[in-house]
């Protein structure tokens, strides 16, 4: 890597003055679930030949660390369906404490029972696991797979391995809506945080995603009928705002891209499993890192490509939820890992 640049000049700052220190790296677009709000049942996945190799993903991560990225979240698709995933975590994890402050994952938990301990051994300290319901029938309907027990075993294994667990729950009108207070109470009882997320209009799914859009302020009203919420100054470097719940002693995060925009404090970019950098989750501005990675002068070209990304990063997303409206982006969340 180009190790001669000084700390002062190598950091990534976009044209709105936002310092970019966080990378979401999607290691695959494939998944062992089919969440109805994320992808259609018959999802078309990328040919394997287009996906970056472990060595390429590792070199990409190092190039970002060299430009001041201090936190990396591995995601997908489902990151743990990638067979060489633990090797990748180990390879990137070797930079923890040496430019990298945090290496984390967002996962559906399906394969955590077997892999949680190895992740912890490689330096992962906390993990975000998606769970929308504790009802097996609704889980099967929402994910199109009857696998709730497997995910619950994965969550338990993560805790046993000493990982700090945060559950991600997409709030869905008429689906998990009525169950959210019980889910929060259960999670806090297990010692886990929960973050509630508004559905975002990315990629076509079977049916109209907007039918189940539920604004988070409506969920907060519902939660406040049972719990006492107090705003917290806790921050993770992610988009959530946090609240402490007096009755459970647990923490609740709210991710509100539609009802309370957080783009002004954006600190992140994302890269797909094919090496396309997307400057914004909601935008189409992209920079091809794979070409740079595969060129002869890859260190210099990668670094230049990251500067280009800073120039094209937009100020904000323009998501809107209107009944029957087309997705704001044709690209699915599973391409960029959310
Ligand atoms: N609009 C928007 N949504 C985001 C962004 N980053 C994450 N999300 C969404 O937030 C939800 C939770 O994301 P996670 O993968 O758990 O990441 P995180 O919340 O940043 O993680 P923490 O490090 O725990 O704060 C997902 O649905 C993501 O799509 C972002 O930059 N913009
Ligand atoms: C795309 S998934 C990738 C990682 C992993 N497969 C998982 O589900 O945790 C990352 C996060 O995006 C969320 N997500 C997927 N589609 C979404 C959408 N349309 N709107 C809001 N969140 C979404 C999921 O619930 C999950 O928490
Ligand atoms: S949200 Fe995650 S687990 Fe669900 S289909 Fe999308 S990538 Fe898979
Ligand atoms: S929507 Fe785009 S600008 Fe807004 S926080 Fe997410 S990545 Fe950043």
């Amino acid at each position: 890597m180009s190790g001669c640049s000084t700390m002062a000049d190598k950091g990534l700052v976009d044209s709105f003055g936002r310092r970019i220190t966080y990378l979401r790296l999607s290691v695959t677009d494939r998944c062992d679930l089919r969440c109805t709000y994320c992808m259609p049942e018959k999802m078309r996945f990328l040919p394997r030949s287009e996906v970056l190799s472990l060595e390429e993903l590792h070199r990409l991560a190092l190039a970002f660390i060299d430009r001041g990225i201090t936190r990396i979240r591995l995601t997908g698709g489902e990151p743990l369906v990638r067979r060489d995933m633990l090797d990748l975590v180990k390879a990137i994890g070797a930079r923890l404490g040496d430019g990298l402050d945090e290496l984390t994952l967002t996962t559906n938990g399906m394969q955590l029972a077997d892999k949680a301990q190895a992740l912890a051994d490689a330096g992962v300290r906390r993990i975000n696991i998606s769970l929308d319901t504790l009802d097996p029938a609704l889980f099967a309907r929402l994910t199109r797979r009857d696998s709730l027990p497997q995910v619950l075993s994965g969550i338990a294994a993560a805790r046993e391995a000493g990982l700090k667990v945060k559950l991600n729950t997409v709030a869905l009108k008429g689906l998990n809506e009525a169950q959210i207070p019980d889910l929060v109470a259960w999670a806090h009882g297990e010692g886990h945080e929960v973050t509630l997320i508004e559905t975002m209009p990315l990629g076509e799914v079977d049916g109209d995603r907007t039918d189940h859009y539920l604004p988070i302020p409506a969920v907060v009203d519902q939660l406040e009928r049972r719990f006492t919420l107090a705003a917290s100054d806790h921050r993770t470097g992610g988009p959530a705002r946090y609240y402490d719940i007096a009755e459970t002693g647990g923490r609740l995060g709210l991710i509100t891209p539609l009802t309370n925009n957080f783009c002004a404090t954006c600190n992140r970019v994302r890269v797909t499993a094919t090496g396309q950098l997307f400057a914004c989750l909601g935008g189409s501005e992209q920079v091809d890192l794979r070409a740079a990675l595969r060129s002869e002068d890859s260190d210099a070209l990668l670094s230049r490509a990251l500067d280009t990304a800073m120039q094209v990063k937009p100020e904000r997303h323009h998501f809107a939820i209107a009944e029957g409206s087309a997705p704001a982006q044709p690209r699915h969340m599973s391409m960029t890992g959310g």
Side-chain angles (χ1 to χ4, degrees):
M1 293 301 122
S2 49
C4 57
S5 49
T6 64
M7 275 306 285
D9 66 15
K10 75 176 188 175
L12 296 169
V13 179
D14 77 359
S15 56
F16 301 96
R18 296 173 297 194
R19 187 162 285 279
I20 305 303
T21 55
Y22 179 117
L23 168 66
R24 298 177 70 90
L25 183 55
S26 175
V27 300
T28 178
D29 65 326
R30 289 171 192 257
C31 189
D32 42 5
L33 297 180
R34 293 285 185 282
C35 302
T36 49
Y37 49 78
C38 180
M39 56 174 77
E41 171 65 77
K42 290 196 168 57
M43 182 72 173
R44 287 170 64 136
F45 296 112
L46 293 163
R48 281 180 209 278
S49 56
E50 285 194 27
V51 172
L52 297 184
S53 68
L54 181 151
E55 191 261 336
E56 288 174 322
L57 287 167
H58 182 214
R59 281 206 290 134
L60 256 191
L62 297 185
F64 275 97
I65 295 169
D66 196 48
R67 294 297 309 270
I69 291 288
T70 56
R71 306 168 101 158
I72 298 180
R73 178 172 292 279
L74 301 173
T75 168
E78 172 47 40
L80 293 176
V81 302
R82 215 184 136 121
R83 287 206 194 94
D84 54 8
M85 183 60 186
L86 292 175
D87 293 329
L88 179 66
V89 174
K90 273 188 227 159
I92 300 176
R95 289 296 302 266
L96 284 163
D98 177 17
L100 184 63
D101 294 339
E102 186 177 51
L103 177 61
T104 49
L105 269 85
T106 299
T107 170
N108 62 25
M110 288 281 283
Q111 304 203 27
L112 269 180
D114 291 338
K115 295 179 178 162
Q117 188 59 55
L119 293 172
D121 293 345
V124 174
R125 292 289 164 261
R126 67 184 185 102
I127 194 159
N128 293 359
I129 308 176
S130 302
L131 181 71
D132 298 326
T133 177
L134 289 168
D135 171 3
L138 183 60
F139 184 96
R141 178 173 168 200
L142 288 179
T143 64
R144 303 192 183 98
R145 301 291 182 269
D146 188 9
S147 304
L148 179 64
Q150 193 174 329
V151 171
L152 293 179
S153 306
I155 294 172
R159 184 172 63 182
E160 278 154 33
L163 296 172
K164 190 164 183 289
V165 173
K166 182 156 83 175
L167 300 181
N168 277 340
T169 303
V170 177
L172 298 161
K173 187 168 80 183
L175 293 171
N176 65 357
E177 182 176 6
Q179 304 173 2
I180 291 175
D182 282 347
L183 180 64
V184 170
W186 175 81
H188 287 179
E190 296 287 306
H192 308 318
E193 291 182 18
V194 188
T195 291
L196 305 176
I197 303 163
E198 286 173 343
T199 322
M200 290 173 251
L202 290 167
E204 292 285 354
V205 290
D206 300 329
D208 186 349
R209 189 191 272 115
T210 60
D211 288 348
H212 298 292
Y213 167 67
L214 180 59
I216 293 293
V219 186
V220 169
D221 285 348
Q222 181 194 12
L223 286 167
E224 283 183 326
R225 288 198 280 275
R226 177 158 157 193
F227 302 121
T228 315
L229 274 60
S232 155
D233 55 12
H234 177 73
R235 292 286 175 272
T236 54
R241 287 171 296 115
Y242 290 93
Y243 292 80
D244 294 321
I245 298 192
E247 291 78 2
T248 61
R251 192 179 283 140
L252 176 74
L254 305 178
I255 298 189
T256 54
L258 288 122
T259 58
N260 192 352
N261 185 284
F262 41 73
C263 298
T265 54
C266 185
N267 61 356
R268 55 198 51 206
V269 291
R270 32 190 52 81
V271 175
T272 68
T274 58
Q276 296 301 313
L277 181 154
F278 280 95
C280 171
L281 177 63
S284 52
E285 298 80 2
Q286 72 187 89
V287 179
D288 182 7
L289 300 186
R290 184 169 60 177
L293 195 58
R294 292 182 178 172
S295 67
E296 268 190 16
D297 192 11
S298 63
D299 287 357
L301 286 181
L302 272 175
S303 190
R304 212 174 301 153
L306 299 190
D307 288 327
T308 304
M310 292 305 101
Q311 286 156 21
V312 301
K313 186 169 168 61
E315 187 171 17
R316 54 165 297 170
H317 70 73
H318 294 282
F319 294 147
I321 292 269
E323 205 180 323
S325 61
Q329 279 299 321
R331 189 180 67 243
H332 288 89
M333 194 73 114
S334 52
M335 287 296 293
T336 49

